[in-house]
Amino acid sequence: MDARLAETIESFDDSFARGLSEGLRRAQKEIPCKYFYDAEGSALFEAICALPEYYQTRTEVALLRRHAAEIAGLIGARAEIVEFGAGSARKVRILLDALESPHGYSPIDISGAYLRGVVQRLAADYPRLRLAPLAGDFTLPLQLPALAGAARRAGFFPGGTIGNFTPDAAMALLRRMREMLGGGGLLVGVDLVKDPALLHAAYNDAAGITAAFNKNLLARANRELAADFDLDAFAHYAPYNPKAQRIEMYLVSLKRQSARLPDGMVEFSAGEAIHTEDSHKYSIESFREIAARAGFSPRAVWTDENRLFSLHWLEAR
Ligand code: AVJ
């Protein structure tokens, strides 16, 4: 990996200490869900994706495979793919394999350490692809590294991550992505409303991986910030809220306790919850409306026979 690229990856400070102590000092305690994804959390998320209860990943991967040729035709030749929240970058390989002479790939991910390994493997497998990784928070204004010579830029935002934002914030984020991309299109994966029992199971898996993923926020604070959270004294709680059409994730304190943070103690009463994530679900129509409000023309949409998950191709107006 060249030096400049390594620097882009390493200079990023994700401000976990600040985010954590700010969030835990609010009346409703919270830890922003972007902090799930340190190297450990990214690996736990990969394990979630393979769970029998977590239908999202395998459904989306099947949709990508089934429609890869059509999607590649819509994106066009010599495109630069910009992925928001690249994670393991496994799904983009399906696109890259179907695209005509893909020009470049610009993965953005909040975990620089994780991104580094992912990019090294991609470079080995796609020697002709120009790679421009960026370690950063894609919700903040980012300057995309310039990749000269691409015919067109296409954004890729799979996994249903858009669900982490309220509908208004999702609209604002889509708008910003449209501006970042400077035209072109966006391929986005969106989880759909469905039987709440299926949703509940997907976030409350029998093996307890989602619980470990949730508790990794506290484990990470212990590792990185010398905090002293007692992981056994917090419960993973992830109910579906049908009125807001979202899964809500919490860590609930099982007793009155306190924990040490770099800038002082935090107190928890018995039963007090830390809000750690919302995962909004949409109907195909309600998502297309949000995309239209963000300045996209919603074009093709693909879904599976059980209507579990959807893939949307949006073109910038
Ligand atoms: C990565 C945000 C799509 O909301 O399903 C998985 C994260 N949280 N299990 C989701 C997650 C708990 C995931 N997203």
Side-chain angles (χ1 to χ4, degrees), residues 132-188:
L134 186 61
D137 177 351
F138 62 73
T139 66
L140 302 176
L142 288 175
Q143 192 65 44
L144 289 179
L147 267 186
R152 190 190 199 199
R153 243 181 194 163
F156 186 41
F157 191 30
T161 303
I162 190 75
N164 280 158
F165 302 84
T166 64
D168 281 343
M171 195 274 294
L173 177 61
L174 290 173
R175 181 171 285 168
R176 226 162 324 115
M177 286 177 170
R178 182 172 56 75
E179 289 161 0
M180 251 193 261
L181 292 167
L186 178 69
L187 182 66
V188 48

Side-chain angles (χ1 to χ4, degrees), residues 37 45 48 54 56 159-161 164 203 210 213 249 277 279:
Y37 303 95
F45 180 66
I48 288 176
Y54 198 77
Q56 276 104 306
T161 303
N164 280 158
Y203 293 83
T210 309
F213 174 71
M249 267 194 358
E277 186 176 41
S279 189

Side-chain angles (χ1 to χ4, degrees), residues 50 61 77 113 133 154 162 170 174 209 278:
V61 164
I162 190 75
L174 290 173
I209 309 291
D278 285 329

Side-chain angles (χ1 to χ4, degrees), residues 53-67:
E53 297 97 331
Y54 198 77
Y55 56 85
Q56 276 104 306
T57 313
R58 83 180 80 84
T59 309
E60 187 178 40
V61 164
L63 286 174
L64 282 169
R65 291 221 173 93
R66 188 175 313 152
H67 303 288

Side-chain angles (χ1 to χ4, degrees), residues 230-309:
D230 174 1
L231 268 56
D232 294 328
F234 287 88
H236 165 71
Y237 183 59
Y240 181 64
N241 175 342
K243 195 165 173 222
Q245 302 194 321
R246 66 186 181 213
I247 288 282
E248 298 175 357
M249 267 194 358
Y250 301 92
L251 290 163
V252 179
S253 177
L254 294 173
K255 61 181 192 194
R256 184 190 158 96
Q257 58 182 321
S258 57
R260 185 183 64 232
L261 293 187
D263 60 346
M265 304 296 287
V266 192
E267 312 287 335
F268 297 89
S269 57
E272 186 175 3
I274 309 170
H275 185 196
T276 56
E277 186 176 41
D278 285 329
S279 189
H280 290 82
K281 312 303 173 188
Y282 289 91
S283 66
I284 285 176
E285 301 70 34
S286 64
F287 184 75
R288 284 166 68 91
E289 267 169 45
I290 284 176
R293 277 170 52 212
F296 283 104
S297 295
R299 301 282 191 209
V301 53
W302 302 273
T303 185
D304 53 294
E305 33 295 325
N306 299 316
R307 291 201 157 232
L308 294 175
F309 198 88

Side-chain angles (χ1 to χ4, degrees), residues 27-240:
Q28 165 62 72
K29 291 184 170 65
E30 65 170 33
I31 305 177
C33 64
K34 64 184 175 190
Y35 297 120
F36 280 133
Y37 303 95
D38 66 342
E40 203 101 342
S42 297
L44 280 165
F45 180 66
E46 285 306 301
I48 288 176
C49 292
L51 288 169
E53 297 97 331
Y54 198 77
Y55 56 85
Q56 276 104 306
T57 313
R58 83 180 80 84
T59 309
E60 187 178 40
V61 164
L63 286 174
L64 282 169
R65 291 221 173 93
R66 188 175 313 152
H67 303 288
E70 189 186 352
I71 293 168
L74 289 167
I75 292 177
R78 292 182 298 110
E80 175 194 347
I81 305 297
V82 177
E83 183 166 2
F84 299 99
S88 67
R90 201 166 291 147
K91 292 168 192 164
V92 79
R93 289 168 178 258
I94 304 170
L95 279 189
L96 292 172
D97 292 343
L99 284 166
E100 186 189 335
S101 327
H103 182 80
Y105 174 53
S106 306
I108 307 172
D109 202 88
I110 196 155
S111 173
Y114 198 76
L115 186 58
R116 162 186 284 277
V118 164
V119 165
Q120 270 164 351
R121 286 191 292 279
L122 270 172
D125 295 346
Y126 296 86
R128 295 192 8 230
L129 191 69
R130 295 159 188 81
L131 293 166
L134 186 61
D137 177 351
F138 62 73
T139 66
L140 302 176
L142 288 175
Q143 192 65 44
L144 289 179
L147 267 186
R152 190 190 199 199
R153 243 181 194 163
F156 186 41
F157 191 30
T161 303
I162 190 75
N164 280 158
F165 302 84
T166 64
D168 281 343
M171 195 274 294
L173 177 61
L174 290 173
R175 181 171 285 168
R176 226 162 324 115
M177 286 177 170
R178 182 172 56 75
E179 289 161 0
M180 251 193 261
L181 292 167
L186 178 69
L187 182 66
V188 48
V190 181
D191 198 17
L192 297 175
V193 287
K194 58 180 62 65
D195 183 344
L198 289 177
L199 286 168
H200 189 272
Y203 293 83
N204 294 274
D205 60 287
I209 309 291
T210 309
F213 174 71
N214 198 6
K215 288 189 184 188
N216 178 56
L217 288 168
L218 305 181
R220 178 179 178 183
N222 291 353
R223 278 194 301 272
E224 286 180 23
L225 309 174
D228 62 352
F229 288 103
D230 174 1
L231 268 56
D232 294 328
F234 287 88
H236 165 71
Y237 183 59
Y240 181 64

